Amino acid sequence: MLKVGLVGLPNAGKSTLFNALVSSNKADVKPHPFTTIDKNIGSSNIPDDNLQKIAKKEKINKVTPAIITFVDIAGLIKDAHIGEGLGNQFLHHIREVDLILHVVRLFNDKNVAHIYSEIDPERDIQIVNEELLFSDIQTIKKRLSNKGLSEKENNILKEVLQEMDKGVLASDEKSQEKLKDIKEPLFLLTSKKQIFALNIDENQISNPPKINIESDGYLYICAKLESQIEDVPLSERVEFLKLYGLKEEVKNSIINLCYKALDLITFYTIAKRSEAKAWILHKGETAIKAAGKIHTDFAEKFIKVEQINVRDFIKEESWNRAKDDGKIITHGRDYIVQNGDVLEFKINS
């Protein structure tokens, strides 16, 4: 299951955005810092027209979309790594997620005070990233105090630590290469990829303010507006979005950004024609890895996999007809699964 953590300063709009992204377990939202003390966890089905088409084609009633889980993590402040604002507790929650969704405040609202008085998104991003970095420095220093370290690991950690002291995150390419040789993972916070949600006012949608951000993984959102969409009837949502110059709900845009950041793809199964199901896989992974996603038995007893891409499948009358027409291709365990593949695994019974 894909898990994304919402991180940022207090009153950046994390919980408001969280409520726009999840279908249940809504967070409490109030105009003061630290409304969120413990993490909020909620999930959302990943919208997928292809999955519905597959189910209709094979007359399958049970449809199970892929799921993305969002974790609303309480606001970080300066010196969180030494416990300010219960920061150590909040930093711990970040270790559990696959990707960081960094919510940055650009909106002005006199009823929602900024914890540092003035709106300054570049400063806010720096504060959060520095706290993640300081926490990682502590983690590495703690590992270095272990007398059982090999000379090689000791040297690697000292080299990475030197870079961190210069402000270099663990996600840096050179640091990543060095850390691959560490036997036990460190679960460094700055090794996680980040995408950014730049939270703006309704009146900024048509002309959002420009900020200096060293990432192409960002989008402008109006969390307050997006949180209201669920109250709009489905038949009226398109017009509602158009009214504010928006093309789609933020949930879809963020899910697409998550997929891009983590190099994810979707594949499908139609198990015994009883369930059409979507699965998440990393780009470049093999059929045996996909089999293991379904069940460990599928990987251990793997014989072969039958495959057709969903674009071709929906043009066919049915799976069996596609097979008769030679459109279903048989592959071995090393087949690289492609985005949109419909897979039928054959295993030893």
Side-chain angles (χ1 to χ4, degrees), residues 12-29:
K14 296 183 303 301
S15 295
T16 304
L17 177 57
F18 173 83
N19 288 343
L21 296 173
V22 302
S23 52
S24 60
N25 298 331
K26 303 290 186 177
D28 188 21
V29 177

Side-chain angles (χ1 to χ4, degrees), residues 107-172:
F107 70 87
N108 283 290
D109 188 336
K110 63 182 180 181
N111 296 315
V112 183
H114 193 291
I115 195 165
Y116 297 118
S117 299
E118 296 179 351
I119 305 297
D120 186 341
E122 286 94 350
R123 175 208 56 205
D124 294 352
I125 291 171
Q126 183 178 357
I127 288 173
V128 171
N129 281 337
E130 282 179 351
E131 291 310 309
L132 301 183
L133 189 61
F134 290 148
S135 177
D136 283 351
I137 288 172
Q138 288 181 338
T139 299
I140 291 179
K141 285 181 175 178
K142 185 176 180 180
R143 178 68 68 88
L144 282 168
S145 68
N146 184 347
K147 295 180 181 179
L149 283 184
S150 67
E151 182 179 355
K152 179 181 179 182
E153 185 168 345
N154 189 72
N155 291 337
I156 289 171
L157 291 176
K158 284 182 176 178
E159 288 173 10
V160 173
L161 186 59
Q162 283 182 338
E163 292 302 307
M164 285 187 169
D165 284 337
K166 300 174 187 175
V168 177
L169 307 184
S171 56
D172 175 74

Side-chain angles (χ1 to χ4, degrees), residues 58-100:
E58 290 296 299
K59 298 179 176 60
I60 299 171
N61 292 324
K62 186 177 181 181
V63 179
T64 306
I67 294 174
I68 183 168
T69 296
F70 293 100
V71 184
D72 174 27
I73 297 168
L76 295 171
I77 61 172
K78 193 171 179 62
D79 292 331
H81 69 287
I82 55 174
E84 287 295 322
L86 300 179
N88 283 326
Q89 175 185 335
F90 303 160
L91 288 164
H92 172 72
H93 295 327
I94 302 173
R95 299 188 196 281
E96 304 169 359
V97 304
D98 302 302
L99 178 71
I100 293 173

Side-chain angles (χ1 to χ4, degrees), residues 167-278:
V168 177
L169 307 184
S171 56
D172 175 74
E173 190 174 334
K174 290 182 180 178
S175 294
Q176 285 283 302
E177 281 300 313
K178 291 174 183 176
L179 289 167
K180 283 180 182 178
D181 291 329
I182 300 295
K183 289 184 179 179
E184 293 186 21
L186 287 160
F187 303 107
L188 298 176
L189 302 180
T190 64
S191 68
K192 297 181 183 295
K193 289 191 175 181
Q194 286 191 44
I195 57 176
F196 295 84
L198 309 178
N199 194 7
I200 57 178
D201 291 320
E202 293 175 25
N203 59 12
Q204 294 174 311
I205 291 174
S206 61
N207 187 27
K210 300 293 185 289
I211 75 165
N212 183 23
I213 184 168
E214 295 181 4
S215 172
D216 58 358
Y218 69 89
L219 50 81
Y220 288 93
I221 60 112
C222 179
K224 182 180 179 181
L225 180 63
E226 295 287 349
S227 67
Q228 299 169 4
I229 289 178
E230 193 167 298
D231 297 328
V232 178
L234 286 173
S235 60
E236 299 175 16
R237 288 188 185 181
V238 172
E239 288 303 316
F240 179 85
L241 290 168
K242 281 183 180 178
L243 184 64
Y244 291 96
L246 300 173
K247 294 181 180 179
E248 61 178 356
E249 293 179 42
V250 72
K251 181 193 303 184
N252 297 340
S253 301
I254 286 178
I255 288 172
N256 289 336
L257 205 56
C258 291
Y259 263 63
K260 183 179 178 181
L262 294 175
D263 277 337
L264 301 176
I265 62 171
T266 301
F267 73 91
Y268 307 97
T269 57
I270 47 175
K272 298 179 181 179
R273 309 307 178 272
S274 61
E275 179 183 17
K277 189 167 183 176

